[in-house]
């Protein structure tokens, strides 16, 4: 159920956006490949299990037959013994004499063994001391083992006899007598343990004799343990029958487990190596392969130097491979389950899998035979978690930057703006933002997986677009406070304009490419950073996303300049604009005051505003001035009397404006737009009968001129009559104009 529930969750993570539907064929291919791999593994595992099950069932069947035959034979022996007793005269007496003789012989043997026990034990201790002086070879290992085995059997037989005699006092005496043997056995076991723990070094040093001696000892102990297990099972299953044949139970009486201890020593030795390797790996993730070099060297030493020295039935190379692989799995899984493990370490583990299986295959261990899978097939989950972790860090970082931007923009402290090498204003978080994006891009690239990099880049495009929207909202909300505000409520107006210039400069810095000068904008550098890590198909999609971002930066920068200009007209020119086309207009130089203010602003910001933004500022000033000038016909008291020199005043205003704008490169375009003032003058100055024709000509050139503005202009004439207005409206209905691009008149209401 959990697995079934897990699939939709992963799909939801992957298919977050409509554009992600393009990933469905790749996802389908990946899931099909994984399913095929799992099916193949399941089939292989099922085949192995079936073979093992059949072999086990056959062994159980043969064992049952053997046990049945033994049972039948024992019952036949018991029957023959009973029949023999009836057939032989005086059998009870004969049997008693025979048992007495056997018991006497055993007592004599036991007494002789006890008499020589301490001497034999002392001889063993001398051999062990000799081996202490020659730990690299231990030539007495087999003689010591043989003699200790005999002494153990003597002790076990004696303890067994006294236990059946139920004499607790004598049992304590015997245990005290044999106490020294346990110390000697421990001494011997220490020697065996040293050899087992250093077995790889022994093989690498070419000490084959010591390896063989160890193998002989462990094989003999393994054989004895099998006999003990069989005896214990027989005593458990056939207590009455086994009690009649105690005489066949000579030799070891308990399991000694040397083979299990040998295998455990292999595990302990490898784990010690792993502990050191893991410590190095945690310090430097790039050292994982180097820190695990011993792993393959030791397996290779077993393959080349140990296989021929050990019993074939042990399959010693396969045994080492299974133990080492299991430890590799357990240690890596333990690491990735550690919540404190650094992401770089997790990524190194993900990359390690492919190298590990390749190295094991060279040694003769195919990937299908290595079970369990190195990290339980969690690579995909870990990669997804890695990607989500990067995205999480990205979102958290951008949230902090956004919070800092809002705080700086609202407070507008003098030290929150910075200047670049050209002297242009910038916000202080611009460089940090793109540096963080580059770092996270490189982090995603280290995964060496296109899906990770693509997911992270998608998130970066998302946060960059969100940042554009956030800045536009910040600008609009803050500037709205100054629309219609009283002069005493205009505190911070100057710093707000500085910030608008800085934000506009930030947008240009993101897209300002000058390859000839070796200068690239942040967006282009960002695209070049992630391009090596993504697929060609995604690169094409990313290009479109980057183009959209580029347009967004242009729009936001232009919006800041437009807002800057709007503030100038709403705050600086509020009272001056109200005088146009009124009685005061004729006697004052309102246009000159506006132009002088323009000169002040251009002088102040030409050094701190990017040159391309400065060009936009000039264009926006020209357009805004023209729109506000033409819209001034709505001013209260605006009137054009035939007796007043309004035509000369209009011409003087235009020349004054041109005197300011003619110094700029785009003056030609500005002059072309201002030609509409000539049409404005014609609407005001033409004879009433000619007004419909003037309007038709104006409409043909400026198709989006609005009738409301034309009506307001006509009503400003001192000779206005409704007949003229009706004639213009009738002409408007009859004029057939072709729509084209918007003109400046679309902004004049």
């Amino acid at each position: 159920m959990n697995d079934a529930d897990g699939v939709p969750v992963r799909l939801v993570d992957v298919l977050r956006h409509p554009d992600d539907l393009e990933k469905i064929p790749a996802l389908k291919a990946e899931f099909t490949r994984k399913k095929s791999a799992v099916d193949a593994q399941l089939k292989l595992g099922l085949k192995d299990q079936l073979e093992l099950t059949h072999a086990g069932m056959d062994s159980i069947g043969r064992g049952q037959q053997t046990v049945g035959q033994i049972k039948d034979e024992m019952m036949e022996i018991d029957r023959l013994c009973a029949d023999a007793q009836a057939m032989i005269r005086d059998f009870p007496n004969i049997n008693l004499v025979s048992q007495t003789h056997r018991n006497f012989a055993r007592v004599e043997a036991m007494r002789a063994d006890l008499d020589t026990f301490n001497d034999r034990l002392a001889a063993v201790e001398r051999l062990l001391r000799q081996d202490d002086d020659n730990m690299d070879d231990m030539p007495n290992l087999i003689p010591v083992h043989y003699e200790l085995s005999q002494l153990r059997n003597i002790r076990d037989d004696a303890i067994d006899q006294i236990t059946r005699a139920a004499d607790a006092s004598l049992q304590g005496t015997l245990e005290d007598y044999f106490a020294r043997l346990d110390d000697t056995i421990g001494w011997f076991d220490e020697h065996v343990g040293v050899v087992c723990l250093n077995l790889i070094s022994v093989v690498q040093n070419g000490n084959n004799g010591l390896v063989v001696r160890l193998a002989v000892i462990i094989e003999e102990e393994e054989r004895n343990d099998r006999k003990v297990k069989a005896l214990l099972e027989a005593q458990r299953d056939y207590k009455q029958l086994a009690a009649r044949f105690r005489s066949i139970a000579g030799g070891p009486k308990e399991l000694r487990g040397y083979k299990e201890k040998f295998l455990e020593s292999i595990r302990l030795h490898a784990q010690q190596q792993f502990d050191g390797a893991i410590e190095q790996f945690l310090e430097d993730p790039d050292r994982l392969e180097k820190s695990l070099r011993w792993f393959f060297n030791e397996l290779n030493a077993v393959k080349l130097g140990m296989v021929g020295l050990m019993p074939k039935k042990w399959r010693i190379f396969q045994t080492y491979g299974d133990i080492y692989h299991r430890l590799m799995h357990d240690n890596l899984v333990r690491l990735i389950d550690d919540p404190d493990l650094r992401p770089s370490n997790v990524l190194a583990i993900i990359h390690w899998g492919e190298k590990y299986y390749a190295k094991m295959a060279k040694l003769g261990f195919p990937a299908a035979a290595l079970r369990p899978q190195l990290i339980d097939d969690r690579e995909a989950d870990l990669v997804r978690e890695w990607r989500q972790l990067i995205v999480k860090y990205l979102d958290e970082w951008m949230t902090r930057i956004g919070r800092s931007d809002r705080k700086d923009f609202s407070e507008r402290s003098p030290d929150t703006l910075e200047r670049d090498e050209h002297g242009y204003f910038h916000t202080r978080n611009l460089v940090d933002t793109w540096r963080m994006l580059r770092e996270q891009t490189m982090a995603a690239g280290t995964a060496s997986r296109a899906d990770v990099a693509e997911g992270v880049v998608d998130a970066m495009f998302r946060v960059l677009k969100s940042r554009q929207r956030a800045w536009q909202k910040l600008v609009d909300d803050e500037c709205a406070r100054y629309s219609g505000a009283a002069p005493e409520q205009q505190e911070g107006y100057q710093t707000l304009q500085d910030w608008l210039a800085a934000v506009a400069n930030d947008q240009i810095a993101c897209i300002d490419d000058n390859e000839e000068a070796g200068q690239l904008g942040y967006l282009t550098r960002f695209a070049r950073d992630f391009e090596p890590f993504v697929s060609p198909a995604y690169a094409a999609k990313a290009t479109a996303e980057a183009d959209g971002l580029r347009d967004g930066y242009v729009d936001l920068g232009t919006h800041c300049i437009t807002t800057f200009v709007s503030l100038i007209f709403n705050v600086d020119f509020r009272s001056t604009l109200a005088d146009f086309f009124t009685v005061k207009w004729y006697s004052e130089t309102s246009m000159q005051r506006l132009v002088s203010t323009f000169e002040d602003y251009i002088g102040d910001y030409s050094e701190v505003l990017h040159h391309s933004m400065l060009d936009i500022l000039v264009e926006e000033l020209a357009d805004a001035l023209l729109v506000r000038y033409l819209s001034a016909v709505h001013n209260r008291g605006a009137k054009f009397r035939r007796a007043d020199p309004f035509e000369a005043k209009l011409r003087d205003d235009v020349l004054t404006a041109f005197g300011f704008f003619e110094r700029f490169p785009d003056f030609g375009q500005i002059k072309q737009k201002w030609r509409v003032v000539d049409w404005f003058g014609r609407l005001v100055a033409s004879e009433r009968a000619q007004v419909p024709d003037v309007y038709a000509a104006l409409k043909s050139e400026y198709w989006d001129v609005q009738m409301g503005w034309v009506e307001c202009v006509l009503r400003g004439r001192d000779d206005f009559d409704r007949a003229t207005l009706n004639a213009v409206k009738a002409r408007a209905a009859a004029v057939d104009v072709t729509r084209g691009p918007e003109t400046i008149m679309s902004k004049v209401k």
Side-chain angles (χ1 to χ4, degrees):
M1 188 67 180
N2 292 336
D3 292 342
D5 293 341
V7 173
V9 173
R10 290 196 291 271
L11 290 175
V12 168
D13 291 338
V14 175
L15 303 178
R16 292 182 174 179
H17 308 290
D19 293 340
D20 292 335
L21 293 176
E22 298 176 1
K23 299 180 180 178
I24 289 180
L27 290 173
K28 183 178 179 182
E30 182 179 359
F31 289 148
T32 302
R33 177 183 60 78
K34 290 183 177 179
K35 181 178 181 298
S36 300
V38 172
D39 289 344
Q41 293 174 1
L42 289 175
K43 288 179 181 179
L44 181 61
L46 180 60
K47 180 181 178 182
D48 293 341
Q49 290 298 323
L50 286 175
E51 291 177 353
L52 290 173
T53 302
H54 285 306
M57 292 176 65
D58 292 341
S59 298
I60 291 173
R62 289 193 299 270
Q64 289 176 338
Q65 292 177 359
T66 303
V67 171
Q69 292 174 359
I70 294 173
K71 181 178 179 181
D72 292 342
E73 292 293 335
M74 297 296 288
M75 292 176 64
E76 180 64 21
I77 293 172
D78 187 58
R79 186 185 62 78
L80 291 174
C81 288
D83 292 345
Q85 292 178 12
M87 293 172 60
I88 301 174
R89 191 177 60 179
D90 297 330
F91 179 80
N93 295 329
I94 296 172
N95 185 47
L96 179 60
V97 172
S98 176
Q99 289 181 359
T100 302
H101 183 270
R102 286 198 303 271
N103 289 339
F104 180 78
R106 293 178 64 186
V107 169
E108 284 291 319
M110 178 63 70
R111 181 188 174 200
D113 289 339
L114 291 175
D115 288 341
T116 60
F117 185 85
N118 286 326
D119 293 337
R120 295 170 68 181
L121 188 58
V124 170
E125 291 173 345
R126 285 195 298 273
L127 294 176
L128 287 172
R129 277 192 291 271
Q130 292 175 9
D131 282 352
D132 280 343
D133 297 333
N134 189 8
M135 294 294 288
D136 293 335
D137 192 31
M138 298 187 192
N140 300 319
L141 208 57
I142 289 181
V144 169
H145 173 258
Y146 174 78
E147 194 63 22
L148 279 179
S149 297
Q150 297 299 316
L151 296 177
R152 278 179 168 180
N153 292 340
I154 293 172
R155 180 194 62 182
D156 293 346
D157 287 341
I159 296 297
D160 183 62
Q161 292 292 334
I162 203 66
T163 301
R164 284 191 278 124
D167 189 342
S169 62
L170 292 178
Q171 182 174 352
T173 301
L174 275 178
E175 289 176 352
D176 292 340
Y177 186 78
F178 292 127
R180 184 177 159 202
L181 175 62
D182 291 331
D183 295 336
T184 306
I185 292 173
W187 191 355
F188 170 74
D189 287 348
E190 288 180 6
H191 284 200
V192 173
V194 169
V195 179
C196 290
L197 289 174
N198 297 282
L199 190 56
I200 298 295
S201 298
V202 173
V203 172
Q204 291 174 337
N205 292 332
N207 194 348
N208 295 343
L210 182 56
V211 177
V212 172
R213 288 193 289 277
L214 176 68
V216 168
I217 292 171
I218 294 176
E219 185 180 23
E220 179 63 23
E221 289 294 338
E222 183 182 26
R223 186 182 301 112
N224 290 336
D225 282 351
R226 284 200 300 268
K227 291 179 181 179
V228 173
K229 287 180 181 179
L231 178 60
L232 294 175
E233 291 174 0
Q235 290 176 345
R236 184 178 63 250
D237 297 336
Y238 306 100
K239 293 181 180 179
Q240 295 180 353
L241 190 60
R244 299 186 182 184
F245 298 93
R246 290 186 182 274
S247 61
I248 68 172
K253 298 294 190 299
E254 61 183 13
L255 296 173
R256 296 172 183 169
Y258 275 78
K259 178 64 177 294
E260 289 72 19
K261 294 176 182 177
F262 169 66
L263 297 178
E264 179 64 15
S265 68
I266 297 175
R267 194 194 70 79
L268 289 175
H269 165 75
Q271 186 58 52
Q272 290 174 356
Q273 299 281 70
F274 269 113
D275 292 341
I278 289 173
E279 185 176 352
Q280 297 179 26
F281 169 60
L282 293 177
E283 294 176 356
D284 183 2
D286 295 334
R287 298 181 61 185
L288 178 59
E289 182 175 1
K290 183 178 180 180
S291 65
L292 290 173
R293 191 173 298 165
W294 62 268
F295 182 95
F296 306 99
N297 291 341
E298 292 190 355
L299 286 178
N300 191 53
V302 173
K303 180 179 181 180
L304 299 178
M306 193 183 298
V307 172
L309 306 177
M310 295 286 183
K312 290 184 178 180
K313 62 182 178 182
W314 285 5
R315 301 176 63 202
I316 192 65
F317 183 52
Q318 185 65 44
T319 299
Y320 263 89
D322 292 342
I323 293 174
Y324 274 44
H325 174 71
R326 167 60 71 172
L327 286 173
M328 178 71 76
H329 164 271
D330 293 347
N331 281 281
L332 292 182
V333 169
R334 177 170 56 85
L335 283 173
I336 62 179
D337 286 339
D338 183 359
D340 297 328
L341 188 67
R342 292 179 298 174
S344 56
N345 294 100
V346 175
L347 192 62
I349 292 175
I350 295 173
H351 289 162
W352 172 240
E354 185 176 353
K355 297 179 181 178
Y356 171 77
Y357 280 112
K359 291 177 179 290
M360 291 297 281
K362 289 182 179 179
L363 288 172
F365 296 100
L370 294 172
R371 287 290 171 266
Q373 201 275 340
L374 187 60
I375 54 175
D376 296 333
D377 289 315
R378 293 166 61 180
E379 288 89 347
D381 293 337
L382 292 174
V383 167
R384 183 168 56 255
E385 291 173 4
W386 169 255
R387 182 183 63 199
Q388 291 172 346
L389 182 63
I390 296 176
V391 173
K392 176 186 175 184
Y393 287 158
L394 175 67
D395 289 337
E396 291 176 351
W397 188 275
M398 293 303 291
T399 299
R400 288 195 295 270
I401 288 179
R403 192 181 300 117
S404 175
D405 286 339
R406 288 191 296 273
K407 181 176 180 294
D408 292 346
F409 190 55
S410 61
E411 296 177 355
R412 294 195 287 279
S413 300
D415 59 342
T416 53
L417 291 182
E418 298 177 347
R419 289 198 180 195
D420 62 14
E421 65 276 13
H422 303 293
Y424 301 150
F425 280 150
H426 287 288
T427 63
R428 64 180 178 180
N429 288 327
L430 174 68
V431 176
D432 291 341
T433 299
W434 287 102
R435 182 174 62 246
M436 182 274 299
L437 291 176
R438 187 177 191 280
E439 290 173 353
Q440 298 304 319
T441 301
M442 295 299 106
T446 57
S448 300
R449 291 178 61 108
D451 56 343
V452 174
E454 291 168 6
V456 172
V457 173
D458 278 340
M460 290 179 176
F461 281 134
R462 171 176 55 80
V463 297
L464 287 173
K465 290 178 181 178
S466 176
R467 180 170 168 79
Q468 288 179 347
R469 293 191 297 269
W471 264 120
Q472 181 160 346
K473 186 176 186 304
L474 276 176
V475 168
D476 291 343
D477 291 347
E478 190 67 20
C479 293
R481 295 172 47 204
Y482 293 89
S483 297
E488 61 272 11
Q489 297 175 332
Q490 295 174 3
E491 182 181 357
Y493 172 60
Q494 175 62 48
T495 55
L496 175 60
Q497 291 177 312
D498 292 344
W499 264 86
L500 289 175
V503 175
N505 287 340
D506 285 355
Q507 313 317 306
I508 292 301
C510 294
I511 58 175
D512 187 20
D513 295 336
N514 187 352
E515 295 191 10
E516 294 181 358
Q519 177 183 347
L520 297 177
Y522 288 113
L523 183 60
T524 300
R525 279 182 272 174
F526 169 61
R528 293 189 178 183
D529 285 340
F530 72 70
E531 187 175 355
F533 307 133
V534 301
S535 64
Y538 183 85
K541 172 189 171 184
T543 300
E545 290 282 355
D547 290 342
L549 270 177
R550 192 180 305 276
D551 294 341
Y553 287 126
V554 172
D555 293 342
L556 179 56
T558 303
H559 180 72
C560 290
I561 297 302
T562 302
T563 304
F564 185 100
V565 172
S566 297
L567 284 173
I568 293 175
F569 280 89
N570 291 333
V571 177
D572 296 77
F573 298 160
R574 181 183 303 168
S575 58
T576 304
L577 290 173
D579 294 340
F580 279 105
F581 309 142
T582 65
V583 175
K584 293 176 65 176
W585 175 52
Y586 293 98
S587 59
E588 295 184 359
T589 57
S590 300
M591 182 62 76
Q592 184 59 50
R593 290 203 300 273
L594 300 186
V595 168
S596 297
T597 304
F598 286 170
E599 290 178 346
D600 292 340
Y601 272 108
I602 295 299
D604 291 341
Y605 284 92
S606 60
E607 299 297 328
V608 297
L609 188 64
H610 191 277
H611 60 85
S612 60
M613 287 289 100
L614 190 65
D615 294 341
I616 294 176
L617 175 62
V618 171
E619 182 181 356
E620 289 294 325
L621 286 173
D623 288 354
L625 178 60
L626 178 57
V627 170
R628 299 299 181 104
Y629 187 71
L630 295 176
S631 299
V633 296
H634 296 285
N635 288 341
R636 179 177 297 180
K639 208 69 175 176
F640 301 98
R641 296 178 177 84
R642 306 295 99 187
D644 294 334
F646 58 84
E647 289 184 275
K649 189 62 175 176
L650 288 174
R651 185 165 44 256
D652 181 65
D653 285 348
V654 171
L655 292 176
T656 301
F658 283 178
F660 170 73
F661 289 114
E662 65 183 359
R663 75 186 73 171
F664 300 105
D666 294 333
F667 175 63
Q669 298 179 8
I670 295 172
K671 186 176 181 181
Q672 183 67 22
K673 290 181 181 180
W674 275 70
R675 287 181 60 248
V676 72
V677 177
D678 181 55
W679 289 103
F680 169 50
R682 293 183 192 181
L683 283 176
V684 174
S686 298
E687 296 295 332
R688 283 182 299 178
Q690 298 175 352
V691 169
D693 293 333
V694 173
Y695 169 76
L698 172 65
K699 184 71 173 179
S700 64
E701 189 165 348
Y702 300 92
W703 66 271
D704 48 4
V705 62
Q706 300 184 35
M707 180 56 69
W709 177 78
V710 174
E711 182 177 348
C712 189
V713 172
L714 295 179
R715 289 182 181 276
R717 292 170 57 118
D718 60 347
D719 60 349
F720 169 76
D721 63 0
R722 184 160 295 278
T724 304
L725 178 60
N726 291 336
V728 169
K729 290 183 177 180
R731 191 62 176 271
V735 172
D736 184 16
V737 296
T738 302
R739 289 177 174 268
E742 287 188 354
T743 70
I744 191 67
M745 293 306 295
S746 65
K747 302 177 182 179
V748 181
K749 307 299 181 184

